[in-house]
Amino acid sequence: MKKFAILIALMFCVTSGLKAQNNIKMENQQEDVLAITDAVENCYFKGIYEGDVILLGSIFNPGTLVYGDVKGQPYFKTVDLYLEGVKNRQSPKDSGKPFKGEILNIKVVNSIAVAEINVKMYDFNYRDFLSFHKINGKWLIVNKMLTDLSK
């Protein structure tokens, strides 16, 4: 009977520890989602809207690639070429045309994440899938895929 009581006590301790670990993991995941949300809203959307390539570039890891299609045509650029394009176009802010950035979904698994977002600007309605990696404690875009949903 004594062995049985010890076994029950051990099982209780182990399962309680697992619950605590799961709670910590959930809290960390929520913190990561908030950090990614902040980066998308305050660097990605704001950088695109204002044409601020320094701010926008701060969320990209060097060497990031951008793939997709725009108006049915294949699209590929390095992050440097993408930022150069942003730099050399009139910003949505300066154009006076509507701009709307919306986060649709963020999924985090350990040190990687994917954000699905929608960006309406000029005559485009982009659906972006941004792949993030947590590098040195900071969430950075390591890949961008986009498609133009406009008709």
Side-chain angles (χ1 to χ4, degrees), residues 26-147:
M26 289 296 287
E27 289 172 12
N28 289 345
Q29 189 174 40
Q30 289 172 346
E31 289 173 14
D32 290 332
V33 168
L34 289 174
I36 292 167
T37 299
D38 181 63
V40 170
E41 290 176 347
N42 295 308
C43 296
Y44 189 76
F45 290 152
K46 188 174 180 182
I48 290 171
Y49 175 67
E50 295 177 356
D52 185 338
V53 294
I54 293 172
L55 180 62
L56 183 58
S58 72
I59 194 173
F60 284 97
N61 190 55
T64 296
L65 299 176
V66 182
Y67 291 96
D69 60 77
V70 177
K71 297 199 182 242
Q73 296 301 309
Y75 183 95
F76 167 77
K77 291 187 178 183
T78 63
V79 70
D80 292 334
L81 288 174
Y82 168 72
L83 292 171
E84 190 68 26
V86 170
K87 179 181 171 184
N88 292 321
R89 66 159 164 76
Q90 184 181 36
S91 72
K93 179 180 179 181
D94 291 341
S95 74
K97 292 189 176 185
F99 174 90
K100 183 178 181 189
E102 179 183 13
I103 299 171
L104 303 174
N105 192 12
I106 297 174
K107 297 278 188 193
V108 176
V109 179
N110 297 324
S111 68
I112 63 170
V114 175
E116 180 181 3
I117 65 171
N118 208 71
V119 177
K120 292 181 182 180
M121 60 184 223
Y122 305 117
D123 297 324
F124 298 98
N125 182 20
Y126 293 112
R127 180 67 47 91
D128 294 355
F129 292 89
L130 306 174
S131 299
F132 284 85
H133 188 212
K134 194 172 190 178
I135 301 170
N136 296 324
K138 183 177 179 185
W139 286 100
L140 296 173
I141 297 170
V142 294
N143 186 59
K144 174 180 172 173
M145 294 182 60
L146 67 119
T147 190

